[in-house]
Amino acid sequence: MSTRTGSDAGTAWTKLQGGLVRLRRLVLVSTLVPIAVVGAAVLWPQAGPGWAALVALPLLALTGWGWWLIERNWRSWRYAERADDLLISRGVLWQELTVVPYGRMQLVEVTSGPLERRFGLASVQLHTAAAASDARIPGLLPEEARRLRERLAELGQARAAGL
């Protein structure tokens, strides 16, 4: 179930699912913590505990900082379906607003990798004629992703026929 948030000039925004935070945190921890542990375990007998700590502590601090950043980034993602276009907003420091007119959409894909499937998530990727188009909405429930794909494809066909 998607969460609707406040409106900007009458626009109803939908936020992403919390499963995306859990997925990204799992990837972060399962990558950096083993590197810190192995690095410290290799250096401890060779160079002593001081050098082992010099490797492990910054990586563990980076893990903690990443843990916090993942949630901040997740909170910045939202999208809105309007009458003529789809809005995708993201970013904490550098905020991006992508506007995709329905008539410009050529392909709407729903993808779900192994980890996404394990967490019950899917992503919607929008392709337009513009090569630099980066219209992607990650972390949706599969039902919401399919609903969005069907709606966007339907609106895209209707708008393209009117050109």
Side-chain angles (χ1 to χ4, degrees):
M1 184 169 161
S2 299
T3 304
R4 300 274 177 185
T5 61
S7 61
D8 298 337
T11 302
W13 291 94
T14 304
K15 298 198 68 69
L16 300 184
Q17 295 298 315
L20 185 62
V21 172
R22 290 188 302 277
L23 169 65
R24 289 182 174 173
R25 283 179 172 170
L26 172 71
V27 171
L28 174 76
V29 169
S30 64
T31 303
L32 290 181
V33 171
I35 292 171
V37 170
V38 169
V42 167
L43 281 176
W44 189 293
Q46 301 294 324
W51 288 102
L54 192 62
V55 168
L57 291 178
L59 286 172
L60 294 175
L62 185 62
T63 302
W65 186 53
W67 188 274
W68 176 75
L69 283 179
I70 286 170
E71 185 165 347
R72 277 195 55 133
N73 179 268
W74 167 75
R75 287 183 190 198
S76 75
W77 277 87
R78 59 190 184 157
Y79 66 96
E81 301 171 60
R82 297 195 309 181
D84 296 321
D85 51 28
L86 176 74
L87 303 176
I88 303 170
S89 175
R90 65 185 177 278
V92 177
L93 292 177
W94 289 272
Q95 296 177 350
E96 282 186 45
L97 176 65
T98 304
V99 180
V100 183
Y102 296 132
R104 306 286 283 173
M105 288 184 209
Q106 294 181 333
L107 176 67
V108 181
E109 286 183 302
V110 173
T111 60
S112 186
L115 282 175
E116 285 177 309
R117 284 193 305 274
R118 175 71 176 102
F119 281 82
L121 300 173
S123 296
V124 172
Q125 177 77 41
L126 306 167
H127 298 276
T128 65
S133 175
D134 183 11
R136 181 175 173 269
I137 306 172
L140 299 172
L141 293 175
E143 304 82 40
E144 173 66 7
R146 284 190 290 276
R147 184 205 65 80
L148 192 57
R149 178 192 62 207
E150 296 303 319
R151 176 162 163 65
L152 295 176
E154 178 184 308
L155 288 168
Q157 287 176 348
R159 298 297 193 278
L163 292 177

